[in-house]
Amino acid sequence: MHRFFVAPELLTDPGLAPDAGLAPARGATTFSSQEQAGDVVAHTGGAGSNLVPLPKEIAHQVRDVLRLNVGEHLILLDNSGDEVVAAVARSSKAGVEVHLLERRPGKREPGVRIVLCQGLLKSARFEWVLEKGTELGVSVFAPILCRRSMAGLEDAGPSKQQRWQRIIQEAAEQSGRSRLPELLPIRPLMHALNDIPPGTLAIMPWEEEHNRTLYDVLNSAASITRVGGGEVLSGEGTLASPSAEVLSGEGDASVPSAVESPTHPSPTVVLFIGPEGGLMAEEVALAQRHGVQVVSLGARILRAETAALAAVASVMYEYESVF
Ligand code: SAM
């Protein structure tokens, strides 16, 4: 079913007070009777029928691009994580109205909260990370300025930010997500390091790290987190949070588990990926002083955008066993 993010005020829950939310949302079209001549009208009632006019841009998509007929279903999203199933009630040159049929929880949001701190890249490469990262399940994109970040990238004006938001929204709609990944303002690496939530698993792939791999860190962290999640571990009982004795043979004491934070029920993993020019040794040392785990992604030097998606996919593999 086609999915569209819309302004939350357009989607009041069906079954709420009949006329709640039936007021046309801002920017939505309202129809005069004379515009309806010759139009296909199937809706069955006015106030209280959860009939809402679609914003112009989406109405154009539904009517002229997707050519959805009256009665056909689509999904509207208000970024709450829910999906609202709607049916085309009326479609005309003047606009498209839909019936809100049902609100239900979205099923495709990731079970791990990935915060991707990406060293700012040339625009096309960064946009690629936004699109593919959204498909793979990133929850927060945090573009960071590193020592070797190319000059001029930081002044990404409002039009660029809007374009990045649109890329994220289209990728979220296409991949079936019901929440839009956040896009944070561009910040220096140091600020992003200071913002790592306490106890979070933070990982920095570095092209000059040759001992410890992403697998090593994820494997130990995920096994701790799984245990931390209250599952019984081979008869050793339920554990509120990982402790030394849990780690006997399971995982590595220096790897913090990706703990749930009060605001986010799922574990959080923060990934730091360098820019085109790579990360400098002092940046890596600074990150280590902030408890970041430095890892190798293998012997080959990956382009920054490849490294970002390889790391995201690996975290999803470990925490969601999605592949
Ligand atoms: N010059 C290339 C480019 O234009 O993309 C490489 C840039 S550099 C290697 C990009 C970042 O990707 C690094 O700072 C690191 O975070 C990550 N990376 C790439 N290959 C890696 C590897 N084999 N192990 C760990 N990190 C890697």
Side-chain angles (χ1 to χ4, degrees), residues 125 205-207 272-276 278-279 295-298 300-304 307:
R125 295 169 75 171
W206 188 32
E207 58 275 24
F272 289 87
I273 305 290
E276 283 94 341
L279 291 159
V295 301
S296 166
L297 294 178
R300 289 164 299 288
I301 300 298
L302 310 176
R303 292 172 74 98

Side-chain angles (χ1 to χ4, degrees), residues 54-75:
L54 291 178
K56 263 201 179 66
E57 217 181 295
I58 299 178
H60 161 64
Q61 277 285 321
V62 166
R63 181 190 52 233
D64 312 325
V65 182
L66 302 168
R67 299 176 180 280
L68 296 186
N69 297 317
V70 166
E72 283 197 78
H73 288 189
L74 61 157
I75 289 187

